[in-house]
Amino acid sequence: MFPLSRTLVVLNMILFGAGLALFVQGQRASASAPDLEARLERMEGRINLLLAQRQGPVAVQPGTPPRAPELPADLDARIEQAVSRALQAQAQASKTGPRDEPAPQEPPIPDARNAAAWARGNEVVDRALSARRWGEAQARELSASSSALTLQQRENLMRRLIVAINQGQLKVETRGPLFAF
């Protein structure tokens, strides 16, 4: 095992604690207490296993004295705080109960109109990716067919465009919005 820097260990444990908090907070309010308790015990076992591995023997290079990995003194307190916050958030969520907001529903779209709009939208994006540019004409053309698309289809087209722009595969040449859905 290679010696780990203190910063790396601290970051790992903080990220693990944040992930644990998000995991516990994201659990449904209907989860039963014994189920939640069993999950927390499994997580505690994993944390203890990780700590034991981190505190285990460190591989020593010839000619250097062995040294124990440096862990922050307040590591246990940090983990306990993260778990406590996650449990409090879970308890708060279970007290408030699920929200009774109706899910937004899209109006029904005729299949032929939707399929044609989806094909046009993909064609616009494909042509732009081939030409490696996104201009005013492409933005207008995509916006014209967007009213017949579902929310998921719009997101898929936007995702393709945004990823291509971020990767430098598409040069943006518009002064206005990239797309108007």
Side-chain angles (χ1 to χ4, degrees):
M1 177 180 263
F2 296 100
L4 299 174
S5 72
R6 179 179 183 165
T7 306
L8 181 62
V9 171
V10 170
L11 285 175
N12 267 339
M13 296 312 292
I14 289 172
L15 289 174
F16 181 79
L20 177 64
L22 289 173
F23 173 78
V24 172
Q25 184 179 8
Q27 295 299 309
R28 297 183 191 267
S30 64
S32 63
D35 183 41
L36 183 60
E37 191 173 318
R39 286 182 184 176
L40 286 174
E41 287 175 6
R42 285 195 307 266
M43 285 184 224
E44 183 180 4
R46 289 180 193 152
I47 290 172
N48 289 336
L49 180 64
L50 285 172
L51 286 173
Q53 288 174 351
R54 297 258 189 251
Q55 294 171 348
V58 177
V60 179
Q61 295 180 356
T64 59
R67 65 174 209 200
E70 298 174 13
L71 295 175
D74 62 341
L75 182 62
D76 289 336
R78 289 181 188 181
I79 293 172
E80 187 174 332
Q81 274 184 334
V83 171
S84 296
R85 278 182 279 178
L87 288 173
Q88 288 171 354
Q90 176 68 25
Q92 192 70 6
S94 66
K95 285 180 185 176
T96 59
R99 296 182 181 175
D100 292 333
E101 298 172 7
Q105 296 180 352
E106 291 188 27
I109 299 175
D111 289 340
R113 183 173 171 226
N114 177 264
W118 177 243
R120 277 194 309 274
N122 277 305
E123 182 182 338
V124 170
V125 172
D126 290 339
R127 279 190 316 221
L129 290 173
S130 295
R132 300 182 58 85
R133 64 178 288 279
W134 183 261
E136 301 286 339
Q138 289 83 7
R140 279 192 306 273
E141 193 174 350
L142 185 61
S143 295
S145 65
S146 70
S147 63
L149 297 174
T150 65
L151 179 61
Q152 184 65 40
Q153 289 170 328
R154 289 182 204 146
E155 288 176 359
N156 288 342
L157 290 174
M158 285 191 305
R159 185 177 300 114
R160 286 181 62 199
L161 286 173
I162 292 169
V163 167
I165 292 168
N166 287 342
Q167 292 177 347
Q169 298 171 352
L170 198 61
K171 182 179 178 186
V172 178
E173 299 174 349
T174 65
R175 293 183 186 234
L178 294 176
F179 33 77
F181 290 132

